[in-house]
C-alpha cells in the first residue's frame, strides 16, 4: 500500500522542485517507459540532449497533493523521488550519491501509481542550479526502467558523441551538384549538408556503367575515395537516417538543369535507401 506522505517530510528539496515544476511546461514532466524494445534512435534521442544520464535506485517516493503539482495532466500523479546513484553514465561534473527529482506517472486503474522502493531506473536529466542533489528530468521519457543492455548501448552512444571528430547534428541540406562522366552511364553527384556547428559534411554518389551506384559520406571538405556509407546504429548513421528529409528541398537543386535535378534526386534516393529507416518506438522529443 502506497502511503500518502506530507510534504514537510521532504523539507525544502521537494518544495523547491515543485516550484520549478510549476514554471516548466507540462510535457517536461516525465513518465517512466518500459525498457524492452528501445531502438538505437530512442536511446540517442534521450541521451544526446541530456547533461546527466544516471542509473539510480529508488529509496523513497511520495505523492504530491494536486495543489502542489500544478500543470499535471489528467490521470497522472506527481511524485517526489529520492534515489541513490548506482552509476553515472554521463555527468559533466559528478553528481551527489543521493538525488531527488519530480516525476509524473500515469495512474494505475484509476489509482495513484506506485514506485517500488529498490526499483532501478535510468534518468535523463539536467542539474538544478545551486542544488547539487537535485535533478530536473528532460523530455516526456526521461525516466526509464533500468535494463543493463540499454545502459551499455547508452555508454557506446555517449562515448562516440564525446569523441573530438563526432558526427555533427544535421540541420538541413545545402546545394547539390551533378557531373556526367566521360562514358555513358557514368556520373557523380555531391550533396552538401548543413550542420549545427558549420562543420563540412557531404554525400557523394558515383555511378559507373553496369555497376551498382556507390555512395559515401565525408566529414571533411575532401572526399576520401575509400570512404563509404556509415555503419548502421552508429552516431553518423543516426545523424543522417534520422534527420535527412525524404526529398531534397527545392533550393538545393534550384540552379541545376532539369536533367541534372532529376539525376540528383535519383541519387539522393540511393542514399536514403542505403541508410534505411530510423525506427523509433516512441516519438522524438
Amino acid at each position: 500500500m502506497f502511503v500518502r506522505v506530507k510534504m514537510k517530510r521532504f523539507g525544502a528539496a521537494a518544495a523547491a522542485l515543485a516550484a520549478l515544476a510549476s514554471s516548466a511546461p507540462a510535457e517536461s514532466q516525465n513518465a517512466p517507459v518500459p525498457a524492452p524494445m528501445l531502438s538505437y534512435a530512442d536511446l540517442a534521442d534521450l541521451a544526446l540532449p541530456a547533461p546527466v544520464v544516471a542509473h539510480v535506485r529508488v529509496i523513497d517516493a511520495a505523492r504530491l497533493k494536486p495543489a502542489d503539482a500544478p500543470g499535471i495532466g489528467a490521470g497522472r500523479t506527481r511524485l517526489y523521488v529520492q534515489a541513490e546513484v548506482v552509476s553515472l553514465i554521463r555527468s559533466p561534473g559528478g553528481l551527489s550519491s543521493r538525488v531527488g527529482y519530480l516525476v509524473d506517472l500515469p495512474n494505475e486503474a484509476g489509482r495513484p501509481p506506485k514506485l517500488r522502493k529498490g526499483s532501478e531506473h535510468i534518468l535523463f536529466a539536467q542539474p538544478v542550479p545551486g542544488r547539487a542533489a537535485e535533478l530536473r528530468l528532460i523530455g516526456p521519457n526521461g525516466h526509464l526502467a533500468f535494463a543493463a543492455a540499454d545502459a551499455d548501448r547508452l555508454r557506446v552512444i555517449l562515448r562516440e558523441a564525446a569523441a573530438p571528430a563526432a558526427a555533427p547534428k544535421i540541420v538541413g541540406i545545402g546545394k547539390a551538384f551533378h557531373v556526367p562522366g566521360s562514358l555513358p552511364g557514368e556520373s557523380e553527384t555531391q550533396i552538401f549538408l548543413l550542420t549545427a556547428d558549420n562543420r563540412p559534411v557531404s554525400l557523394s554518389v558515383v555511378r559507373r556503367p553496369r555497376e551498382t551506384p556507390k555512395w559515401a559520406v565525408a566529414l571533411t571538405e575532401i572526399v576520401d575515395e575509400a570512404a563509404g556509407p556509415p555503419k548502421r546504429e552508429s552516431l553518423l548513421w543516426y545523424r543522417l537516417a534520422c534527420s535527412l528529409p525524404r526529398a531534397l528541398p527545392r533550393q538545393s537543386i534550384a540552379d541545376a538543369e532539369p536533367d541534372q535535378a532529376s539525376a540528383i534526386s535519383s541519387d539522393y534516393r540511393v542514399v536514403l535507401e542505403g541508410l534505411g529507416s530510423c525506427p523509433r518506438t516512441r516519438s522524438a522529443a
Side-chain angles (χ1 to χ4, degrees), residues 6-216:
K6 294 182 179 180
M7 281 288 294
K8 65 181 181 180
R9 172 179 171 184
F10 298 98
L17 281 174
L20 285 169
S22 67
S23 62
E27 65 267 23
S28 70
Q29 304 307 316
N30 304 272
V33 293
M37 303 304 294
L38 290 174
S39 71
Y40 182 98
D42 289 328
L43 295 174
D45 289 344
L46 291 166
L48 294 175
V52 174
V53 182
H55 170 198
V56 303
R57 182 180 296 115
V58 172
I59 298 172
D60 203 354
R63 299 197 305 268
L64 273 64
K65 296 177 181 178
D68 296 319
I72 191 168
R76 305 174 77 82
T77 297
R78 184 166 297 164
L79 305 178
Y80 176 68
V81 183
Q82 292 181 321
E84 62 176 321
V85 177
V86 178
S87 66
L88 280 177
I89 300 173
R90 176 198 231 177
S91 181
L95 196 64
S96 172
S97 62
R98 182 167 173 161
V99 295
Y101 59 92
L102 295 172
V103 59
D104 290 355
L105 303 182
N107 294 338
E108 302 167 353
R111 296 185 177 184
K114 299 177 182 179
L115 197 58
R116 183 173 53 84
K117 180 178 180 180
S119 61
E120 298 185 13
H121 304 269
I122 299 175
L123 306 184
F124 301 88
Q126 59 188 10
V128 175
R131 298 179 179 274
E134 294 170 15
L135 296 173
R136 181 190 288 170
L137 302 185
I138 292 178
N141 301 313
H143 188 253
L144 301 181
F146 174 78
D150 288 340
D152 290 341
R153 294 167 74 198
L154 285 167
R155 290 186 178 92
V156 172
I157 292 169
L158 293 173
R159 189 182 306 121
E160 191 172 359
K169 184 177 181 179
I170 307 299
V171 297
I173 298 180
K175 292 295 185 181
F177 303 91
H178 179 78
V179 180
S182 57
L183 299 175
E186 187 177 65
S187 66
E188 181 173 359
T189 291
Q190 193 164 17
I191 302 169
F192 293 91
L193 305 183
L194 306 177
T195 61
D197 58 3
N198 294 319
R199 278 191 285 159
V201 176
S202 64
L203 306 170
S204 61
V205 181
V206 175
R207 292 179 183 266
R208 292 189 176 91
R210 296 179 297 279
E211 292 185 13
T212 301
K214 295 181 180 179
W215 73 276

